[in-house]
Amino acid sequence: MRILLAMSLLIGVVSTVPAVAADPDVLDVSFGGSFSSGNTYTAATGETMGGTLTRRTGAESLDPARGLVLAGAAAGVRFQPGTPISGGSVQRSFLVETAFTPAATQTDLATVTAVGGAIFGRYSGSNLQYGFSSEVGGEWRDVVQSVPVPSAGEQHVLALAYEVDGAGATLHAFLDGQQLPPAVSTSGTATWHPDAGAEIGLGNEVHPSALQRGLAGSVRQVRLATFSGAFNPGDLKLAKPVGSTAKVNVGFEGTISRGKYQPGLGERGDLTVADGRITQPGRLRLDGGGVSWHGEIDGAVLAETVVSPDLLDRGTRLIELGGVQLVAEGKHAVVLRAGGGSSEVRLPAASVKEGVAYYYLGLAVEAGKVSVLTAPGVTALSKSITTGQVGEVRWLTGARGTAYGVGVSSYFGEPAAALKALPCVVGKLRPAQTMPVAEGECVTSLVAKASAIRPEPRQVDWQRMEQTAFLHFGVNTFTGLEWGHGDEDPDLFQPTGLDTDQWARTLRDSGFKLAILTVKHHDGFLLYPSRYSDHSVASSSWQSGKGDVVEAFVKSMRKYGLKVGLYLSPADENQYLDGVYANGSAHTPRTIPTLVPGDDRAGQDLPQYTLTASDYGAYMLNQLYELLTEYGQVDEVWFDGAQGRIPPDKVETYDFPSWYELIRKLAPQATIAVSGPDVRWVGNESGLARPDEFSVVPTITKPNGSPDYALGYAAADQGSRKALLAGRDAGATELAWWPAESDVSIREGWFHHPEQSTRSVEQLTDIYYKSVGRNSVLLLNIPPDREGRLDDQDVTRLAEWRAKLAADMPRDLAKGARVSGEGTGTVSVQLPKKSTVKRVSLGEDIRYGQQIEAGVVEVREQGGWKQVAAFGAVGYKRILALDSPVTTDQVRVRITQSRGKVRLAALSIY
């Protein structure tokens, strides 16, 4: 181990200068939307795009798992902000984060991110180079830093923060959360190219002379935001900044074999253990032995351990490194032995977690200094010494007792604990819909909590529907727009033959169980006569101003046995024009309903509620009240996360908690979807769920009170053991039953456009198997046309699609077959005769949670059982297509890994 103080000077310490929080994001996309024929990107629900995003060649493609797929050369995407963040004489501070997966081979100067033809993050031989170009007094210079390129084939996050400071500028850089040496200019800022100064290149340059510097690989997510004052690393979102690098992080959830420790999930470190055994996950019992690690660290080093009080016998060498020892002095003190002297440190009272007492101890050494830590990040003693060079760290030499973890990390600046190995305790868990996540919580505990999480009855009912419909209908249908401006003349809305019965019949015959109507899209036009807005059907001459699409829709759905869903967009361009949306009003108690002059409800004994809201929040609450009290039972309320297209200095913070509370009071049976606590958006608008889609995921709560992914909606893994661990480290506050809804339109657009064609039967079938067949509910949009009917082409295609699915799965061979097994580990099916098997469908009884993590399907052949399919998560439904059809009379399903007792509710063979 080489202890180099110079390293901390090179890297620098994360700034502690007070900073102003980043402004609202200018761009945050995960490429879950689509490119139009003009190569312009249409954002997906939940994405932020304050400008225009355009692909360069037209060959750039979108993949639900990878995001934006790029082939290098001229490929890439160009973003033009609606309001320039910088460029020309404009010099603003901003940050851009890019999550990308590089291919193994890159051309020289292949660019990950570029801004204004001046700022860049790019490949340069075996290095990743970042910096900016500056022209001062007619002389050009590049202010550049570089680090080794990241590994190919894995996702990485490059964050660049350009901070303007007087006559100079600093480009802060982070790779996967690790702070890199900044590129600093004290005289001269970035000099923008006159033709590219306002543009941002994603996966390529924007400088006119460098448009062949494309990245080979993919870009999963990009975020752009401006900020004022000093840069604050806490404003980064795609990869949290870290101040230290863990070399060893072990909580003893692994195993020991012949004295070698085999790390458990999320652990790292090649340890040797003498006279020790794992008594249960998270606990190492030592009987006079110890633990050691060999390796080199450049820079300052922190060694840590977490132990039970019974281990602190006098003379036990707790930590040894660099000729320095931390030795137990009994139950209440430790002694630092360094440089030929010794110093005693009194210990604070033991910490307690779920009834388990423990001590944390750390020993930090850098050139000329040693420190003792008695709590994470808390230094109890620091002194100057002369340290030696060593190649190992030892813990707990001669110890008898229980250890909960050990760690080694390099650090910069002050030592901050990197150890996550607090006592791994699994308490008695009562099933619940959500459970809290603790900082440093062990994987064993996280998995136990995930196993104990249960859905609410309304979530079970929602999942059983499997297939739901969206009906985008409104003034956009008549303007040809996807996102209206809010100032459209209501008289444009003129459906000449509205036939909601035709909608309902078609949906029922196509297998749908619920339909959601766009009562209000982002333009703000309402499909019912609200008391709170003139921008509605009541202001149209259609049906002499007496029309009500919501009323007709609800009656038809109930007539044909479908459940009713209503979508009320949080964004509202019309209310912004009227001075209500984003008007800066305070969030104060409001009486709902708020009666208006001449209100027809005056004098009635109305249920009233006092809820906190802004002016616009109250507007939404009053409309929710109308919809949920005047149209009968509503089974789903659907919110997206769209923000109004308003100036960056205008903000509307949605009153989601109050909206949720009112819905729960007026329609307790209704699921609140997408921007809501019952159902989450799958993360793309292609209708495709993840191969392993878990209904239990780590979550955070947004400042507006709505739940959100802890790992971001673009993450390919949301609920595996690795994801639970990653969610913990990303700051998850809860594990929640939050199942996925996969939305997609039967056409390219969400509203009906006559020139667009319908998706093929093959496309719709693939979507079904990759949504419903992957533990998700499919939300398929079928937009009514200007007549007010579903397009005949769409109706025909839906019938063809259902016929295709019926042909794929004509008869369940398992019905009437002899089934053996208890449904928890192995289930065998004896078919009446040999049959050709192509698909197997499994389903858990989700009333008892989601337990299955892995399993296999096998068939009986001469000589024994043969595996024909493997699977991961199951949940409510998992449809498996065999690699190739097999002929057999015996099929067996074996669960090879689960979180708890498995209860199979369904097993079908086709």
Side-chain angles (χ1 to χ4, degrees):
M1 176 171 57
R2 300 189 302 272
I3 300 173
L4 301 175
L5 179 59
M7 193 68 180
S8 64
L9 297 176
L10 171 67
I11 301 298
V13 182
V14 172
S15 174
T16 58
V17 177
V20 179
D23 300 329
D25 292 347
V26 178
L27 177 72
D28 188 352
V29 296
S30 294
F31 298 104
S34 61
F35 285 108
S36 69
S37 56
N39 289 330
T40 300
Y41 180 74
T42 299
T45 299
E47 295 185 327
T48 299
M49 197 168 70
T52 304
L53 200 62
T54 309
R55 56 182 172 181
R56 296 267 298 273
T57 69
E60 300 85 350
S61 61
L62 297 176
D63 180 271
R66 301 170 63 195
L68 176 70
V69 181
L70 303 171
V77 171
R78 186 190 304 261
F79 178 65
Q80 182 77 38
T83 301
I85 59 167
S86 280
S89 59
V90 178
Q91 291 285 349
R92 295 184 66 190
S93 298
F94 61 87
L95 61 89
V96 57
E97 301 177 80
T98 308
F100 70 104
T101 301
T105 302
Q106 302 289 343
T107 58
D108 195 38
L109 301 183
T111 301
V112 178
T113 307
V115 183
I119 298 174
F120 48 81
R122 63 196 182 194
Y123 280 69
S124 179
S126 61
N127 288 330
L128 184 67
Q129 185 184 76
Y130 54 93
F132 57 95
S133 301
S134 178
E135 187 265 333
V136 179
E139 294 186 5
W140 284 89
R141 66 188 182 103
D142 284 343
V143 184
V144 176
Q145 294 279 12
S146 61
V147 294
V149 297
S151 55
E154 298 179 2
Q155 180 170 292
H156 304 280
V157 176
L158 176 64
L160 301 177
Y162 178 72
E163 180 183 338
V164 181
D165 183 15
T170 299
L171 187 67
H172 304 274
F174 292 76
L175 182 62
D176 298 332
Q178 295 289 338
Q179 189 174 13
L180 308 179
V184 181
S185 170
T186 56
S187 59
T189 57
T191 303
W192 315 101
H193 190 278
D195 296 331
E199 297 179 344
I200 292 89
L202 312 176
N204 210 327
E205 255 289 357
V206 291
H207 195 289
S209 66
L211 301 182
Q212 295 293 319
R213 296 179 179 176
L215 176 78
S218 60
V219 176
R220 173 70 276 180
Q221 187 172 0
V222 178
R223 174 178 174 258
L224 173 69
T226 60
F227 63 91
S228 303
F231 167 61
N232 180 4
D235 288 333
L236 300 178
K237 293 183 179 179
L238 303 194
K240 295 185 70 174
V242 296
S244 61
T245 303
K247 304 295 183 180
V248 175
N249 195 316
V250 167
F252 298 122
E253 293 185 82
T255 59
I256 299 172
S257 177
R258 297 181 180 180
K260 292 294 184 181
Y261 181 75
Q262 308 298 320
L265 180 64
E267 297 183 326
R268 61 186 305 175
D270 185 11
L271 303 180
T272 299
V273 179
D275 295 324
R277 64 188 188 279
I278 305 295
T279 58
Q280 66 184 73
R283 301 190 181 194
L284 171 68
R285 176 69 190 186
L286 290 165
D287 297 306
V291 181
S292 61
W293 173 80
H294 294 261
E296 287 191 345
I297 296 180
D298 288 341
V301 58
L302 170 65
E304 307 165 273
T305 188
V306 175
V307 299
S308 171
D310 70 349
L311 189 143
L312 295 178
D313 290 331
R314 183 184 297 272
T316 299
R317 299 196 297 278
L318 300 169
I319 305 175
E320 303 174 79
L321 73 155
V324 179
Q325 295 182 345
L326 190 63
V327 183
E329 188 69 8
K331 308 299 184 185
H332 304 292
V334 294
V335 173
L336 173 66
R337 296 175 181 170
S342 63
S343 302
E344 183 179 276
V345 178
R346 300 294 295 177
L347 296 178
S351 300
V352 179
K353 179 184 178 186
E354 296 188 39
V356 175
Y358 67 93
Y359 284 101
Y360 165 91
L361 293 162
L363 187 59
V365 177
E366 58 184 302
K369 181 181 176 183
V370 62
S371 303
V372 177
L373 284 71
T374 54
V378 176
T379 300
L381 172 69
S382 183
K383 60 185 301 184
S384 300
I385 60 162
T386 301
T387 59
Q389 292 188 355
V390 298
E392 71 173 353
V393 179
R394 292 182 177 273
W395 298 266
L396 314 175
T397 304
R400 294 184 181 275
T402 301
Y404 300 115
V406 295
V408 177
S409 58
S410 61
Y411 67 90
F412 314 114
E414 294 298 319
L419 187 63
K420 301 296 183 185
L422 300 181
C424 186
V425 179
V426 179
K428 187 174 182 179
L429 300 173
R430 184 187 299 272
Q433 198 257 346
T434 64
M435 290 197 181
V437 174
E439 184 179 0
E441 187 167 3
C442 66
V443 176
T444 301
S445 178
L446 291 171
V447 172
K449 287 182 176 179
S451 176
I453 288 178
R454 304 286 186 266
E456 295 287 345
R458 61 176 166 267
Q459 293 175 303
V460 175
D461 292 342
W462 175 85
Q463 189 89 48
R464 287 172 175 165
M465 289 190 291
E466 298 189 4
Q467 189 179 311
T468 59
F470 222 156
L471 297 161
H472 274 65
F473 189 52
V475 73
N476 290 350
T477 307
F478 300 88
T479 62
L481 298 175
E482 282 289 299
W483 186 318
H485 301 292
D487 57 358
E488 291 84 2
D489 184 350
D491 208 40
L492 290 170
F493 186 79
Q494 294 288 341
T496 55
L498 181 69
D499 190 350
T500 54
D501 274 3
Q502 184 245 9
W503 301 359
R505 280 195 309 272
T506 300
L507 297 178
R508 179 201 62 186
D509 295 345
S510 302
F512 294 93
K513 302 296 190 297
L514 173 146
I516 302 170
L517 176 67
T518 53
V519 176
K520 173 170 79 81
H521 202 254
H522 312 327
D523 54 86
F525 182 78
L526 292 154
L527 292 183
Y528 78 104
S530 172
R531 301 170 181 83
Y532 300 93
S533 174
D534 294 330
H535 197 59
S536 75
V537 289
S539 297
S540 168
S541 61
W542 174 67
Q543 294 191 359
S544 302
K546 302 298 183 182
D548 188 337
V549 180
V550 174
E551 182 180 44
F553 164 77
V554 168
K555 287 182 178 178
S556 294
M557 294 304 128
R558 294 202 185 102
K559 177 180 177 181
Y560 287 92
L562 277 79
K563 293 186 175 184
V564 171
L566 302 178
Y567 162 45
L568 205 62
S569 169
D572 197 314
E573 302 290 339
N574 177 262
Q575 288 301 299
Y576 175 71
L577 296 175
D578 282 355
V580 178
Y581 185 91
N583 67 1
S585 58
H587 298 261
T588 57
R590 313 282 178 131
T591 299
I592 307 298
T594 308
L595 299 187
V596 300
D599 201 305
D600 58 309
R601 298 168 296 181
Q604 297 181 21
D605 185 18
L606 297 174
Q608 288 190 324
Y609 306 96
T610 301
L611 299 165
T612 299
S614 65
D615 290 349
Y616 177 72
Y619 174 81
M620 286 283 289
L621 285 167
N622 278 305
Q623 291 185 337
L624 283 168
Y625 189 97
E626 291 177 321
L627 292 166
L628 297 178
T629 58
E630 298 176 14
Y631 292 93
Q633 179 170 314
V634 173
D635 303 290
E636 182 166 334
V637 179
W638 204 94
F639 299 120
D640 57 19
Q643 297 287 325
R645 296 178 299 189
I646 57 180
D649 61 333
K650 299 286 187 178
V651 177
E652 176 62 50
T653 300
Y654 297 143
D655 291 297
F656 279 119
S658 292
W659 301 353
Y660 300 160
E661 184 177 348
L662 185 65
I663 295 167
R664 291 287 191 246
K665 290 180 182 299
L666 298 177
Q669 75 289 337
T671 53
I672 307 175
V674 181
S675 282
D678 296 325
V679 175
R680 64 183 162 91
W681 177 48
V682 76
N684 63 72
E685 292 185 347
S686 303
L688 306 180
R690 298 162 183 82
D692 291 319
E693 194 69 74
F694 286 87
S695 294
V696 178
V697 297
T699 67
I700 59 174
T701 301
K702 291 182 178 179
N704 63 19
S706 67
D708 197 10
Y709 285 104
L711 296 174
Y713 59 82
D717 178 8
Q718 291 288 352
S720 73
R721 296 184 180 217
K722 286 184 178 180
L724 299 180
L725 187 67
R728 177 204 73 180
D729 293 342
T733 55
E734 288 186 328
L735 299 182
W737 188 277
W738 204 32
E741 178 185 77
S742 301
D743 61 329
V744 65
S745 183
I746 199 169
R747 293 163 170 257
E748 182 181 354
W750 290 94
F751 287 89
H752 186 274
H753 308 290
E755 71 278 7
Q756 293 181 350
S757 59
T758 309
R759 294 183 189 271
S760 68
V761 171
E762 291 72 24
Q763 287 174 314
L764 291 175
T765 303
D766 186 60
I767 287 169
Y768 177 88
Y769 287 128
K770 292 178 179 176
S771 57
V772 176
R774 289 179 172 179
N775 188 39
S776 177
V777 168
L778 171 61
L779 177 60
L780 181 64
N781 178 64
I782 308 103
D785 61 18
R786 293 182 182 181
E787 189 177 349
R789 294 172 51 85
L790 300 186
D791 191 296
D792 289 343
Q793 184 181 20
D794 296 350
V795 173
T796 299
R797 189 56 42 81
L798 288 172
E800 294 170 342
W801 173 50
R802 294 307 300 179
K804 167 64 174 163
L805 291 175
D808 280 356
M809 297 177 286
R811 184 171 62 89
D812 183 359
L813 300 174
K815 285 187 176 180
R818 189 169 74 249
V819 180
S820 60
E822 75 290 358
T824 62
T826 301
V827 177
S828 299
V829 180
Q830 176 68 57
L831 303 178
K833 62 179 181 179
K834 285 196 173 183
S835 304
T836 299
V837 176
K838 295 183 179 180
R839 289 180 177 83
V840 174
S841 178
L842 304 172
E844 296 182 65
D845 187 342
I846 60 171
R847 294 175 302 171
Y848 299 96
Q850 184 177 7
Q851 308 297 344
I852 297 174
E853 294 177 304
V856 296
V857 176
E858 300 166 320
V859 298
R860 187 77 173 182
E861 292 186 341
Q862 289 185 347
W865 291 96
K866 174 187 176 183
Q867 180 177 315
V868 292
F871 56 89
V874 173
Y876 175 75
K877 177 171 281 190
R878 182 73 183 264
I879 301 176
L880 303 165
L882 306 191
D883 295 337
S884 58
V886 295
T887 300
T888 186
D889 61 357
Q890 291 187 63
V891 178
R892 184 169 74 180
V893 175
R894 285 195 302 114
I895 308 304
T896 58
Q897 184 174 352
S898 67
R899 293 174 174 176
K901 183 178 180 180
V902 174
R903 290 176 170 88
L904 278 181
L907 170 57
S908 298
I909 300 171
Y910 301 101

